Amino acid sequence: MENILENNHFLTQTEVYKFLLATLLCGLIGTEREFRSKQAGLKTMIMIGLGSTLFTILSIKIGLTSHDRIASNIVTGIGFLGAGVIFKEDNQVKGLTTACVIWIVAAIGMAIGAGYFEQAVGVTLVVLLALLTFPFIENMVEQRFTKRVYRIVKKYENESLEKYEEDIKTSGLKLSRGKQELANGTISGTWVAIGSPKNHKRFVDRMLQDKKIIAFDF
């Protein structure tokens, strides 16, 4: 073990190139995250990439019978970082993309540390392409398939809430019925509706003009 450390503890030129490449590739991805004001930005991505690269180099250098023993634990450790950026807000889970980016940046660092430079560069380009172009595609899809949750409360007058379901449908929205409740002389219902922003506005305008509605959440 001592002989191995004596022969391998110096920083080589190849290792310097690996650290520089990890800084460049992971920095490019981090710049995109920083530009979009995400939790894990430029500094975080560079640190993850450099750390993964170093751990992989050390795993190859000091692993006696198994060169992947240290490197294999990067996958486990990076999961804790990814979990830290996932949170729930307004009934939506956010941070999943950033968590995935953290995971793949670690993989890029491992590839560089193991000497697979072409694979690291190729994956980086694909990731950047996805991060830069997919938001535009998502916006196009959202313009046609915006999802909203509606809740209506009205005084109970021996009638159901089917009228409002028809209003949702005639507004050009696809609906999914949620919980409906009758209590204290009022009846309430919840629906998930999907459609264009224009159709959502049409339905909301209708509901705001309905004087029988006590409460309307949208």
Side-chain angles (χ1 to χ4, degrees), residues 54-202:
L54 178 58
F55 274 126
T56 304
I57 292 173
L58 292 176
S59 184
I60 295 172
K61 277 192 167 187
I62 67 178
L64 295 177
T65 58
S66 177
H67 293 303
D68 62 352
R69 181 173 298 176
I70 297 176
S72 62
N73 288 291
I74 296 174
V75 180
T76 303
I78 211 68
F80 290 98
L81 286 177
V85 300
I86 299 174
F87 62 98
K88 187 175 182 180
E89 182 180 274
D90 297 331
N91 294 322
Q92 291 184 332
V93 178
K94 297 187 176 182
L96 287 174
T97 300
T98 301
C100 292
V101 171
I102 288 174
W103 176 67
I104 204 164
V105 163
I108 291 171
M110 291 179 67
I112 295 171
Y116 294 98
F117 306 125
E118 293 85 356
Q119 289 85 342
V121 172
V123 169
T124 300
L125 293 176
V126 173
V127 170
L128 287 173
L129 180 64
L131 291 175
L132 293 172
T133 59
F134 280 14
F136 296 101
I137 298 174
E138 289 175 347
N139 288 335
M140 292 174 60
V141 173
E142 188 174 347
Q143 288 299 316
R144 298 189 61 183
F145 303 102
T146 301
K147 181 169 69 173
R148 288 188 183 179
V149 178
Y150 293 107
R151 179 175 177 270
I152 295 174
V153 181
K154 67 180 291 289
K155 184 178 179 180
Y156 181 62
E157 297 175 336
N158 295 321
E159 59 182 0
S160 65
L161 298 172
E162 291 183 0
K163 170 187 177 300
Y164 299 105
E165 292 187 1
E166 288 300 320
D167 287 336
I168 294 175
K169 293 177 181 178
T170 55
S171 296
L173 302 171
K174 294 182 179 180
L175 67 86
S176 175
R177 180 188 293 181
K179 181 180 179 182
Q180 296 196 0
E181 184 178 5
L182 176 64
N184 300 322
T186 63
I187 184 171
S188 63
T190 304
W191 299 268
V192 176
I194 300 175
S196 67
K198 181 180 179 180
N199 290 340
H200 279 289
K201 184 178 183 303
R202 183 184 301 151

Side-chain angles (χ1 to χ4, degrees), residues 16-47:
V16 172
Y17 290 151
K18 288 181 178 181
F19 293 137
L20 291 176
L21 183 60
T23 301
L24 174 62
L25 298 184
C26 299
L28 288 173
I29 296 175
T31 300
E32 188 278 337
R33 296 283 86 189
E34 192 80 33
F35 177 75
R36 298 187 186 279
S37 301
K38 300 301 181 181
Q39 289 177 307
L42 178 60
K43 292 182 291 185
T44 304
M45 294 303 172
I46 291 177
M47 294 301 105

